[in-house]
Amino acid sequence: MANNFPAQVRVNPHFAEPDLIVTYAQASGAFAALPGNKPKVKLGNDDLYVYINALDLRTETLSAQAAGNFLPSATLVGTQYSTQTYLIRTRSIWDHHDIAAAAHYNVSLPAAQDLAARQGIYQQMRTALLYGYQPSNNEGLLNAAAATAVTLPPDQYGNTTASTYDNGDMSLWLLSQIVNIKSGMFQSGAQITNRIRFIGPQRILLNWQLANIVQVTAYQRPGAGTSTTGQVVANVTAEAGDEVEYYFDDTLQGKGAGGADMVILTIPEIEQPDMPGINTNVFGDVQPSTKAVNAMYTDMPAPMKIPTPIPDGAITEVQEMRISSGWNLRGQGLYLLSIPH
């Protein structure tokens, strides 16, 4: 909570560069796992839980040449799911002496403290989204009970790490995971376009995008000699009518099985499978329904600021925001890929 701006000694004459060297943090792409790349702003500021209902059906019919008298019927089953919410708070304190000291560094102290507090809250939100506060309650996407966990298998040469893996084999393996996730969600069909997201550490995904050129071999491979692993996956998927996007979060280093890096593969929103005419998914027309695969809830779009003067002439500003942890609603749409670096 300190504002540390020590006195400066300078030689005259001199030139003082007015711009600051500001400490940067990674702008996490973790929120790309959510529909619209952001949480749902639906909570009240004192809501302690989020509840959602699910509806399942099993329909029995009777088929015979003659009309039957004892007919089966549909069974509808309602289920309620819930997750806890948490209040994130942080405080900033400064007085007119702090403001004057910061001004010698060309720093607007109230603005800097405001952004620093907001960044801390946003980083906590990223932690809650990915890891949750109570993993035993399946909070956080990495702790989702119904998610599919997959470990990178050896390539055709026996390599098992991302840095040694055959780039063409990696492309084919990633495409096979996309096939699996789309199949599990029943997202196959000419009328369905999915946005497929990979979220992982830079040292994995950035190599897929920039460095891992698919090797030339004795037989033709997609993109051999010109395209990277990531480009092959994106291009092949685009030709099938879907979009692949890559997002980075380095906190996923070492979070996979056995200390491997974790790469999240998800389709944040499910599209309702539909067919013209006879539709074996016609029950999907029941409303209201949500398309979200993963969810997170907040009480406001940005943290609330509560400035308060205190008796010694200082200002204290509290920022707070109520959030839920990351919540996987449809396990078929979340794959957790453990990839040793």
Side-chain angles (χ1 to χ4, degrees):
M1 205 183 297
N3 297 305
N4 187 9
F5 295 93
Q8 300 171 332
V9 176
R10 292 181 174 181
V11 174
N12 282 317
H14 71 270
F15 168 74
E17 170 62 59
D19 295 335
L20 296 168
I21 303 172
V22 178
T23 299
Y24 285 168
Q26 184 180 52
S28 172
F31 294 93
L34 301 174
N37 293 17
K38 59 186 178 182
K40 297 181 178 183
V41 184
K42 292 187 172 183
L43 296 180
N45 59 13
D46 58 351
D47 291 338
L48 301 181
Y49 270 80
V50 180
Y51 296 95
I52 191 169
N53 295 323
L55 178 62
D56 185 43
L57 82 153
R58 295 291 185 271
T59 303
E60 297 180 22
T61 61
L62 176 66
S63 301
Q65 285 189 304
N69 293 322
F70 299 98
L71 300 180
S73 61
T75 300
L76 302 179
V77 179
T79 307
Q80 177 179 272
Y81 298 98
S82 66
T83 191
Q84 292 179 238
T85 71
Y86 302 90
L87 184 62
I88 308 174
R89 308 185 83 203
T90 188
R91 172 184 284 121
S92 306
I93 298 178
W94 65 85
D95 61 17
H96 62 286
H97 297 294
D98 295 322
I99 291 175
H104 293 301
Y105 285 77
N106 290 345
V107 173
S108 171
L109 188 59
Q113 283 282 6
D114 175 38
L115 292 174
R118 183 173 295 199
Q119 177 165 306
I121 290 176
Y122 288 161
Q123 289 180 345
Q124 274 290 307
M125 291 176 66
R126 184 264 309 277
T127 298
L129 171 66
L130 294 177
Y131 310 108
Y133 289 107
Q134 299 188 64
S136 60
N137 290 344
N138 303 128
E139 292 181 0
L141 299 186
L142 268 63
N143 302 306
T148 300
V150 184
T151 299
L152 182 69
D155 67 9
Q156 59 182 315
Y157 305 108
N159 300 310
T160 57
T161 65
S163 56
T164 61
Y165 216 80
D166 179 84
N167 300 334
D169 287 358
M170 181 69 79
S171 302
L172 296 177
W173 182 72
L174 293 174
L175 288 169
S176 72
Q177 301 312 305
I178 292 175
V179 168
N180 292 339
I181 196 171
K182 284 178 64 70
S183 299
M185 297 171 69
F186 305 121
Q187 294 295 279
S188 304
Q191 299 178 343
I192 294 178
T193 297
N194 295 127
R195 287 188 174 179
I196 301 162
R197 312 282 174 79
F198 286 96
I199 305 166
Q202 294 178 94
R203 66 184 186 180
I204 299 289
L205 269 60
L206 201 56
N207 273 312
W208 289 354
Q209 287 186 289
L210 296 178
N212 292 1
I213 302 292
V214 175
Q215 303 93 330
V216 177
T217 63
Y219 58 93
Q220 181 61 41
R221 316 174 89 181
T226 58
S227 298
T228 63
T229 296
Q231 290 169 339
V232 170
V233 173
N235 292 339
V236 172
T237 307
E239 291 175 0
D242 295 320
E243 299 178 18
V244 167
E245 299 173 348
Y246 301 93
Y247 295 89
F248 306 109
D249 191 292
D250 281 350
T251 69
L252 292 169
Q253 289 186 14
K255 295 302 192 296
D261 285 1
M262 173 61 68
V263 174
I264 297 171
L265 166 60
T266 189
I267 299 176
E269 288 186 280
I270 189 171
E271 296 297 329
Q272 181 181 332
D274 197 6
M275 289 293 287
I278 298 175
N279 182 9
T280 57
N281 184 51
V282 69
F283 187 76
D285 291 335
V286 168
Q287 295 296 326
S289 65
T290 178
K291 292 184 176 182
V293 170
N294 308 306
M296 185 179 190
Y297 292 84
T298 66
D299 62 343
M300 56 192 70
M304 176 190 293
K305 294 191 292 185
I306 309 171
T308 307
I310 55 180
D312 62 359
I315 295 290
T316 177
E317 182 178 89
V318 172
Q319 292 198 30
E320 66 179 42
M321 194 172 191
R322 182 168 291 278
I323 68 169
S324 73
S325 297
W327 195 10
N328 174 237
L329 304 179
R330 299 177 184 271
Q332 309 95 323
L334 179 62
Y335 273 52
L336 303 177
L337 311 179
S338 294
I339 302 178
H341 177 254

